[in-house]
Amino acid sequence: MNAESITIELPSASIRPWDQLLHDVRELEQQFDTQIALYMQYVRPTHNQPSNDPQCTHLESKLQTILDDLQSVISEMTETVHTNRGSRRVLERHQSMFHDYEREFQRYKQNVRATAKRTELNGAEVERDRMVEERGRIDQAHTDIDMVLENAFAVHGELTQQRSVIGGATAKLVDVSERIPGINMLLGRIRSRKRREKVVLAIVISACTCILLFVLT
């Protein structure tokens, strides 16, 4: 009688026990949930957590590493199921969760990129508005300086005109002052002549009076 050949499939030494794989996959899923919650804050950043924060890049790298490790563990679980040492239903559930994680991470990462782009554009717009405002202040300052200079030139012109008028008046006063001594001399001569005429008249009257008295006596 021929002996039946029995083939026994030994477990591969490179594949870890199913319980260990379940423990690792659940731990990695918990880590992903924790890190993705932190990463979500960069989708709508506050003033304290901008999209270009280096921590954001660090979280992306960490999440990608978790997904890579999770994919590796699920691959091991797939091999284990093929050797009939694991649950296919459990494997399919973790595979579905893994694909959901990948889609979620890619969606959030795109949103973070879009938010960072909007923040950059808003920053550029704010900087442009600031430069326009600064340019407006400079132009206003130039206008004010031009007005001050215009007023200064107008005042300078008025002062020059007033100085010319004052100079003319001063020249006239000097001319009058030069002529006054001659006028005073003429008036003095006139007054002297009047006094002499009065003296002569008084002498004539006295002489006539004396002659009249002499004749009458």
Side-chain angles (χ1 to χ4, degrees), residues 27-47:
E27 184 177 355
L28 288 170
E29 288 170 352
Q30 289 178 358
Q31 291 180 13
F32 181 87
D33 290 337
T34 300
Q35 298 302 318
I36 200 68
L38 295 175
Y39 186 67
M40 286 174 59
Q41 64 188 340
Y42 293 97
V43 177
R44 294 180 178 178
T46 62
H47 65 283

Side-chain angles (χ1 to χ4, degrees), residues 128-146:
R128 183 185 62 189
D129 293 342
R130 188 191 67 80
M131 293 180 65
V132 170
E133 184 179 356
E134 184 67 21
R135 181 63 184 176
R137 286 197 296 266
I138 293 175
D139 291 340
Q140 184 62 41
H142 288 169
T143 301
D144 295 340
I145 292 174
D146 291 339

